[in-house]
Amino acid sequence: MPVPIGLVLSGALVWQASHAAFSGRTTSSGTSWTAGSVNLTNDSDGQPMFNLTNITPGDTGTRCIAITSQATSPTNIKLYTSTANPPANDISPYINVTVEDGTGGSFDSCDGFTPAGATDYTGTLENLTTTRTNYANGIGPWALTGNPPETKTFRVTWTFSATAPDSTQGGSTPNVNFTWEAQTV
């Protein structure tokens, strides 16, 4: 009987030895993804860019607005407008508008504003409100790095044309919304 038991034991040892193997493992733990964010604010405290009455031909004015980005990813900013239906006696074809981007200045005062370069837009308010109506056809882009906060100031200058006809008396423009939008690049 010792021989059959020895054969069984030696078979079990050979079987265990034939299934032995080397192994190794590594794990990269804690992998996660966090989405970036895009957030724009301005320093107007909800006030309109312009709210003027009784303007006459030749009148002009300027307003600056500081747009601050808290975007954590590189973005491009563009400016566009939206309006309600134009009034019957629309004077927007006679309001000339210039838009410049730069640094310095604020909604309260353009003191210290320094243009970044060439003028970004020059034309009538009518043209601005009918051709620059969404991000795709907006003015710009202005590139931001995604290292917040980043601030860019815009200076908007308007002039009521000195050659506006008498028919503009008592006229008005549609309410205009100036919108700055940032999208990731």
Side-chain angles (χ1 to χ4, degrees):
M1 175 92 136
V3 173
I5 291 177
L7 284 173
V8 169
L9 287 174
S10 66
L13 289 174
V14 169
W15 180 77
Q16 279 290 43
S18 67
H19 285 342
F22 292 118
S23 70
R25 240 181 235 140
T26 185
T27 302
S28 173
S29 61
T31 302
S32 66
W33 286 261
T34 302
S37 62
V38 177
N39 182 26
L40 292 179
T41 58
N42 70 63
D43 66 343
S44 72
D45 288 330
Q47 297 177 54
M49 286 289 293
F50 301 100
N51 188 12
L52 305 166
T53 58
N54 298 320
I55 63 172
T56 58
D59 285 353
T60 189
T62 299
R63 172 73 71 165
C64 287
I65 188 167
I67 307 298
T68 300
S69 170
Q70 296 294 337
T72 58
S73 300
T75 59
N76 282 332
I77 292 180
K78 287 188 173 185
L79 166 63
Y80 58 90
T81 61
S82 60
T83 64
N85 293 329
N89 191 6
D90 181 11
I91 63 171
S92 67
Y94 304 99
I95 304 286
N96 297 306
V97 176
T98 302
V99 177
E100 302 166 280
D101 70 286
T103 58
S106 68
F107 194 78
D108 293 329
S109 170
C110 286
D111 289 348
F113 177 81
T114 303
T119 299
D120 300 307
Y121 175 83
T122 299
T124 66
L125 182 60
E126 177 186 50
N127 178 271
L128 179 66
T129 60
T130 58
T131 64
R132 307 303 183 130
T133 58
N134 58 54
Y135 186 86
N137 63 21
I139 302 167
W142 300 279
L144 298 177
T145 64
N147 296 310
E150 294 179 85
T151 300
K152 183 166 276 302
T153 305
F154 294 86
R155 180 168 63 186
V156 179
T157 303
W158 65 272
T159 303
F160 189 22
S161 175
T163 60
D166 282 344
S167 62
T168 60
Q169 292 184 49
S172 62
T173 65
N175 287 328
V176 178
N177 298 312
F178 288 84
T179 301
W180 285 264
E181 182 177 335
Q183 292 187 4
T184 55
V185 292

